[in-house]
Amino acid sequence: MENLQRLLDEVRLILKKAEVKKKEADRRGENFNIFNVLGLTSDETRTHSAFIAELLDPNGSHGLGDQFLRSFVDTVDCLRSWNFDTKSAKVHKELSIGGKNEDCSEGGRIDIAVESNGKAIIIENKIYAGDQEKQLVRYYNYGTKNCSNGFRLLYLTLNGDDASKYSREKLVVNEDYYTVAYNHEISDWLQRCIEFSVRRPLIRETLIQYQSLINQLTMNSMDKNSQEELLKLMSDPKNIDSICSILNLEARWRERIFNVYVLTPLKEKFKDLDIELKNKGVNIKRPEWTQYIRLDWGNTLGNHAAIGITTNIADPKMKQKIDCFSGPKSYAPNDWWPYGRKDLDGKYWEIPQMVNGELVDYLYRKILSILEEIKEQQLPM
């Protein structure tokens, strides 16, 4: 325990020094970021997919031909030895592959598709949005039918998370599709792109700002010297046992943080509701209800979180999509979710947002709007 406390004290000192450096950078205007100013930090389509697709395009306005695309292929493991012809590549953003069929196994829009000589790199880009039903299955089926010389299906997320079973079904990771991370492959690729652009200041500075945005989204805004100092401390043999102890408790730690900083305040705000953490989610109900509001997520707390009204008996009194679960990133009603359901904004689920109250405020507004609609429409519960 003494070693663990000493380690935490040393980490605290490094973090304090990093915070001082950040404040100095703020004063010098080094943390100005046009993406933040314009409110485009987490827009998957208009910001991230559009920007990455432009860089990958050999005919893009950057004027560097296939240099960025070649670097991307060299950076992503599953593409490196695949012999993809970058010079003749065509890049498509929001590629329509037809309307969704009845069983959701075909159709939709591919975020980024890079095609060349019968091969394709298909990229599903997730910043905070949850998975759609059979989404990876649909893109896999498209690649199977339309790419005569093969394809690579990439699932791109902030931290390299795996796709949910809801999206992938029986597809196998590292065989049928591959996970890619903003905080690893994309970060490394952007650094290479910056080096290529050393004599093109407009491109270079835009890349630096985008790289800064990625660091912000992946909670990786610490300067490189502080990172190296922290990694050196964590790699010291005398600290390995303590680090392993901390990492082994990560899932339980996240749940404890959620309980203390999110669940308890929600219970205080909704004293007339029974709110319970259960089965990778949260149940919210009243004693007289046979259906209940449900926050639902994947294996990791908050991952691909969605909200809806669900039932334990697949025989709902009525099925209709209500306003609270309509719009983008929403799902049609079914026997288990009779009023539909909707993805929650993933940007609120990081630890800092749990601790500072942003997640509580966000969930409070969501739950309140659902309760109001239940009352206004006199929905059977």
Side-chain angles (χ1 to χ4, degrees), residues 314-334:
D315 184 23
K317 298 172 184 175
M318 65 182 295
K319 282 196 288 188
Q320 69 174 58
K321 194 161 193 176
I322 64 175
D323 291 343
C324 287
F325 310 132
S326 297
K329 300 169 186 174
S330 64
Y331 306 92
N334 59 38

PDB file of all heavy atoms in Angstrom, residues 314-334:
ATOM      1  N   ALA A 314     -42.445  -9.879 -23.798  1.00  0.00           N
ATOM      2  CA  ALA A 314     -42.525  -9.469 -25.210  1.00  0.00           C
ATOM      3  C   ALA A 314     -43.971  -9.453 -25.701  1.00  0.00           C
ATOM      4  O   ALA A 314     -44.342 -10.090 -26.667  1.00  0.00           O
ATOM      5  CB  ALA A 314     -41.685 -10.399 -26.078  1.00  0.00           C
ATOM      6  N   ASP A 315     -44.794  -8.683 -24.989  1.00  0.00           N
ATOM      7  CA  ASP A 315     -46.194  -8.541 -25.377  1.00  0.00           C
ATOM      8  C   ASP A 315     -46.673  -7.160 -24.931  1.00  0.00           C
ATOM      9  O   ASP A 315     -47.521  -7.027 -24.044  1.00  0.00           O
ATOM     10  CB  ASP A 315     -47.043  -9.643 -24.721  1.00  0.00           C
ATOM     11  CG  ASP A 315     -48.496  -9.587 -25.185  1.00  0.00           C
ATOM     12  OD1 ASP A 315     -48.736  -9.037 -26.281  1.00  0.00           O
ATOM     13  OD2 ASP A 315     -49.354 -10.084 -24.448  1.00  0.00           O
ATOM     14  N   PRO A 316     -46.088  -6.097 -25.521  1.00  0.00           N
ATOM     15  CA  PRO A 316     -46.420  -4.743 -25.071  1.00  0.00           C
ATOM     16  C   PRO A 316     -47.869  -4.383 -25.355  1.00  0.00           C
ATOM     17  O   PRO A 316     -48.502  -4.924 -26.263  1.00  0.00           O
ATOM     18  CB  PRO A 316     -45.473  -3.868 -25.898  1.00  0.00           C
ATOM     19  CG  PRO A 316     -45.175  -4.674 -27.106  1.00  0.00           C
ATOM     20  CD  PRO A 316     -45.176  -6.096 -26.664  1.00  0.00           C
ATOM     21  N   LYS A 317     -48.370  -3.444 -24.551  1.00  0.00           N
ATOM     22  CA  LYS A 317     -49.761  -3.019 -24.714  1.00  0.00           C
ATOM     23  C   LYS A 317     -49.950  -2.238 -26.010  1.00  0.00           C
ATOM     24  O   LYS A 317     -51.029  -2.209 -26.572  1.00  0.00           O
ATOM     25  CB  LYS A 317     -50.173  -2.179 -23.508  1.00  0.00           C
ATOM     26  CG  LYS A 317     -50.119  -2.960 -22.192  1.00  0.00           C
ATOM     27  CD  LYS A 317     -50.341  -2.048 -20.992  1.00  0.00           C
ATOM     28  CE  LYS A 317     -50.192  -2.831 -19.693  1.00  0.00           C
ATOM     29  NZ  LYS A 317     -50.281  -1.952 -18.503  1.00  0.00           N
ATOM     30  N   MET A 318     -48.893  -1.561 -26.455  1.00  0.00           N
ATOM     31  CA  MET A 318     -48.962  -0.851 -27.733  1.00  0.00           C
ATOM     32  C   MET A 318     -47.546  -0.627 -28.242  1.00  0.00           C
ATOM     33  O   MET A 318     -46.588  -0.667 -27.470  1.00  0.00           O
ATOM     34  CB  MET A 318     -49.695   0.490 -27.585  1.00  0.00           C
ATOM     35  CG  MET A 318     -48.987   1.505 -26.689  1.00  0.00           C
ATOM     36  SD  MET A 318     -49.927   3.044 -26.489  1.00  0.00           S
ATOM     37  CE  MET A 318     -49.919   3.678 -28.149  1.00  0.00           C
ATOM     38  N   LYS A 319     -47.391  -0.428 -29.556  1.00  0.00           N
ATOM     39  CA  LYS A 319     -46.088  -0.131 -30.143  1.00  0.00           C
ATOM     40  C   LYS A 319     -46.224   1.116 -31.003  1.00  0.00           C
ATOM     41  O   LYS A 319     -47.007   1.131 -31.951  1.00  0.00           O
ATOM     42  CB  LYS A 319     -45.576  -1.303 -30.988  1.00  0.00           C
ATOM     43  CG  LYS A 319     -45.006  -2.442 -30.179  1.00  0.00           C
ATOM     44  CD  LYS A 319     -44.175  -3.401 -31.027  1.00  0.00           C
ATOM     45  CE  LYS A 319     -45.039  -4.242 -31.936  1.00  0.00           C
ATOM     46  NZ  LYS A 319     -44.253  -5.296 -32.619  1.00  0.00           N
ATOM     47  N   GLN A 320     -45.482   2.148 -30.662  1.00  0.00           N
ATOM     48  CA  GLN A 320     -45.444   3.363 -31.473  1.00  0.00           C
ATOM     49  C   GLN A 320     -44.187   4.135 -31.121  1.00  0.00           C
ATOM     50  O   GLN A 320     -43.735   4.118 -29.973  1.00  0.00           O
ATOM     51  CB  GLN A 320     -46.670   4.246 -31.217  1.00  0.00           C
ATOM     52  CG  GLN A 320     -46.684   4.896 -29.814  1.00  0.00           C
ATOM     53  CD  GLN A 320     -47.816   5.868 -29.645  1.00  0.00           C
ATOM     54  OE1 GLN A 320     -48.968   5.496 -29.805  1.00  0.00           O
ATOM     55  NE2 GLN A 320     -47.490   7.114 -29.308  1.00  0.00           N
ATOM     56  N   LYS A 321     -43.598   4.764 -32.096  1.00  0.00           N
ATOM     57  CA  LYS A 321     -42.396   5.546 -31.838  1.00  0.00           C
ATOM     58  C   LYS A 321     -42.796   6.895 -31.255  1.00  0.00           C
ATOM     59  O   LYS A 321     -43.640   7.594 -31.829  1.00  0.00           O
ATOM     60  CB  LYS A 321     -41.591   5.746 -33.125  1.00  0.00           C
ATOM     61  CG  LYS A 321     -40.181   6.239 -32.874  1.00  0.00           C
ATOM     62  CD  LYS A 321     -39.306   5.976 -34.075  1.00  0.00           C
ATOM     63  CE  LYS A 321     -37.849   6.170 -33.732  1.00  0.00           C
ATOM     64  NZ  LYS A 321     -36.965   5.831 -34.838  1.00  0.00           N
ATOM     65  N   ILE A 322     -42.218   7.263 -30.117  1.00  0.00           N
ATOM     66  CA  ILE A 322     -42.544   8.541 -29.494  1.00  0.00           C
ATOM     67  C   ILE A 322     -41.442   9.557 -29.769  1.00  0.00           C
ATOM     68  O   ILE A 322     -40.328   9.206 -30.184  1.00  0.00           O
ATOM     69  CB  ILE A 322     -42.794   8.388 -27.981  1.00  0.00           C
ATOM     70  CG1 ILE A 322     -41.527   7.933 -27.248  1.00  0.00           C
ATOM     71  CG2 ILE A 322     -43.934   7.399 -27.732  1.00  0.00           C
ATOM     72  CD1 ILE A 322     -41.686   7.880 -25.738  1.00  0.00           C
ATOM     73  N   ASP A 323     -41.754  10.823 -29.548  1.00  0.00           N
ATOM     74  CA  ASP A 323     -40.844  11.918 -29.919  1.00  0.00           C
ATOM     75  C   ASP A 323     -39.477  11.787 -29.268  1.00  0.00           C
ATOM     76  O   ASP A 323     -38.459  12.091 -29.879  1.00  0.00           O
ATOM     77  CB  ASP A 323     -41.461  13.263 -29.544  1.00  0.00           C
ATOM     78  CG  ASP A 323     -42.672  13.601 -30.406  1.00  0.00           C
ATOM     79  OD1 ASP A 323     -42.836  12.962 -31.476  1.00  0.00           O
ATOM     80  OD2 ASP A 323     -43.459  14.475 -30.012  1.00  0.00           O
ATOM     81  N   CYS A 324     -39.438  11.357 -28.013  1.00  0.00           N
ATOM     82  CA  CYS A 324     -38.167  11.265 -27.281  1.00  0.00           C
ATOM     83  C   CYS A 324     -37.183  10.305 -27.933  1.00  0.00           C
ATOM     84  O   CYS A 324     -35.977  10.424 -27.741  1.00  0.00           O
ATOM     85  CB  CYS A 324     -38.427  10.815 -25.846  1.00  0.00           C
ATOM     86  SG  CYS A 324     -39.163  12.076 -24.823  1.00  0.00           S
ATOM     87  N   PHE A 325     -37.698   9.337 -28.680  1.00  0.00           N
ATOM     88  CA  PHE A 325     -36.848   8.325 -29.305  1.00  0.00           C
ATOM     89  C   PHE A 325     -36.886   8.427 -30.828  1.00  0.00           C
ATOM     90  O   PHE A 325     -36.705   7.435 -31.533  1.00  0.00           O
ATOM     91  CB  PHE A 325     -37.268   6.928 -28.846  1.00  0.00           C
ATOM     92  CG  PHE A 325     -37.410   6.791 -27.364  1.00  0.00           C
ATOM     93  CD1 PHE A 325     -38.528   6.193 -26.802  1.00  0.00           C
ATOM     94  CD2 PHE A 325     -36.431   7.287 -26.510  1.00  0.00           C
ATOM     95  CE1 PHE A 325     -38.675   6.088 -25.435  1.00  0.00           C
ATOM     96  CE2 PHE A 325     -36.560   7.180 -25.137  1.00  0.00           C
ATOM     97  CZ  PHE A 325     -37.679   6.588 -24.590  1.00  0.00           C
ATOM     98  N   SER A 326     -37.116   9.639 -31.334  1.00  0.00           N
ATOM     99  CA  SER A 326     -37.159   9.872 -32.777  1.00  0.00           C
ATOM    100  C   SER A 326     -35.929  10.654 -33.209  1.00  0.00           C
ATOM    101  O   SER A 326     -35.130  11.093 -32.382  1.00  0.00           O
ATOM    102  CB  SER A 326     -38.426  10.654 -33.148  1.00  0.00           C
ATOM    103  OG  SER A 326     -39.579   9.905 -32.826  1.00  0.00           O
ATOM    104  N   GLY A 327     -35.780  10.816 -34.522  1.00  0.00           N
ATOM    105  CA  GLY A 327     -34.666  11.592 -35.052  1.00  0.00           C
ATOM    106  C   GLY A 327     -33.459  10.734 -35.357  1.00  0.00           C
ATOM    107  O   GLY A 327     -33.534   9.502 -35.386  1.00  0.00           O
ATOM    108  N   PRO A 328     -32.286  11.387 -35.591  1.00  0.00           N
ATOM    109  CA  PRO A 328     -31.068  10.648 -35.927  1.00  0.00           C
ATOM    110  C   PRO A 328     -30.662   9.685 -34.816  1.00  0.00           C
ATOM    111  O   PRO A 328     -30.915   9.933 -33.643  1.00  0.00           O
ATOM    112  CB  PRO A 328     -30.020  11.767 -36.095  1.00  0.00           C
ATOM    113  CG  PRO A 328     -30.803  13.011 -36.321  1.00  0.00           C
ATOM    114  CD  PRO A 328     -32.085  12.843 -35.571  1.00  0.00           C
ATOM    115  N   LYS A 329     -30.045   8.586 -35.207  1.00  0.00           N
ATOM    116  CA  LYS A 329     -29.503   7.599 -34.283  1.00  0.00           C
ATOM    117  C   LYS A 329     -30.585   7.030 -33.364  1.00  0.00           C
ATOM    118  O   LYS A 329     -30.390   6.856 -32.168  1.00  0.00           O
ATOM    119  CB  LYS A 329     -28.354   8.188 -33.467  1.00  0.00           C
ATOM    120  CG  LYS A 329     -27.197   8.674 -34.336  1.00  0.00           C
ATOM    121  CD  LYS A 329     -26.205   9.486 -33.571  1.00  0.00           C
ATOM    122  CE  LYS A 329     -25.140  10.072 -34.493  1.00  0.00           C
ATOM    123  NZ  LYS A 329     -24.229  10.981 -33.815  1.00  0.00           N
ATOM    124  N   SER A 330     -31.755   6.781 -33.961  1.00  0.00           N
ATOM    125  CA  SER A 330     -32.854   6.187 -33.208  1.00  0.00           C
ATOM    126  C   SER A 330     -33.258   4.877 -33.867  1.00  0.00           C
ATOM    127  O   SER A 330     -32.878   4.590 -35.008  1.00  0.00           O
ATOM    128  CB  SER A 330     -34.043   7.154 -33.140  1.00  0.00           C
ATOM    129  OG  SER A 330     -34.566   7.402 -34.432  1.00  0.00           O
ATOM    130  N   TYR A 331     -34.063   4.092 -33.150  1.00  0.00           N
ATOM    131  CA  TYR A 331     -34.417   2.750 -33.617  1.00  0.00           C
ATOM    132  C   TYR A 331     -35.927   2.554 -33.538  1.00  0.00           C
ATOM    133  O   TYR A 331     -36.601   3.086 -32.649  1.00  0.00           O
ATOM    134  CB  TYR A 331     -33.706   1.688 -32.779  1.00  0.00           C
ATOM    135  CG  TYR A 331     -32.211   1.897 -32.728  1.00  0.00           C
ATOM    136  CD1 TYR A 331     -31.636   2.644 -31.705  1.00  0.00           C
ATOM    137  CD2 TYR A 331     -31.377   1.385 -33.719  1.00  0.00           C
ATOM    138  CE1 TYR A 331     -30.274   2.864 -31.662  1.00  0.00           C
ATOM    139  CE2 TYR A 331     -30.003   1.597 -33.679  1.00  0.00           C
ATOM    140  CZ  TYR A 331     -29.459   2.336 -32.653  1.00  0.00           C
ATOM    141  OH  TYR A 331     -28.110   2.555 -32.610  1.00  0.00           O
ATOM    142  N   ALA A 332     -36.443   1.769 -34.461  1.00  0.00           N
ATOM    143  CA  ALA A 332     -37.890   1.537 -34.548  1.00  0.00           C
ATOM    144  C   ALA A 332     -38.367   0.705 -33.358  1.00  0.00           C
ATOM    145  O   ALA A 332     -37.609  -0.076 -32.766  1.00  0.00           O
ATOM    146  CB  ALA A 332     -38.217   0.828 -35.854  1.00  0.00           C
ATOM    147  N   PRO A 333     -39.635   0.853 -33.005  1.00  0.00           N
ATOM    148  CA  PRO A 333     -40.206   0.032 -31.928  1.00  0.00           C
ATOM    149  C   PRO A 333     -40.168  -1.449 -32.286  1.00  0.00           C
ATOM    150  O   PRO A 333     -40.255  -1.825 -33.457  1.00  0.00           O
ATOM    151  CB  PRO A 333     -41.655   0.525 -31.841  1.00  0.00           C
ATOM    152  CG  PRO A 333     -41.651   1.883 -32.453  1.00  0.00           C
ATOM    153  CD  PRO A 333     -40.600   1.841 -33.525  1.00  0.00           C
ATOM    154  N   ASN A 334     -40.031  -2.284 -31.262  1.00  0.00           N
ATOM    155  CA  ASN A 334     -40.177  -3.729 -31.431  1.00  0.00           C
ATOM    156  C   ASN A 334     -40.795  -4.295 -30.156  1.00  0.00           C
ATOM    157  O   ASN A 334     -41.194  -3.536 -29.265  1.00  0.00           O
ATOM    158  CB  ASN A 334     -38.829  -4.387 -31.766  1.00  0.00           C
ATOM    159  CG  ASN A 334     -37.779  -4.164 -30.697  1.00  0.00           C
ATOM    160  OD1 ASN A 334     -38.078  -4.182 -29.502  1.00  0.00           O
ATOM    161  ND2 ASN A 334     -36.546  -3.933 -31.120  1.00  0.00           N
TER     162      ASN A 334
END
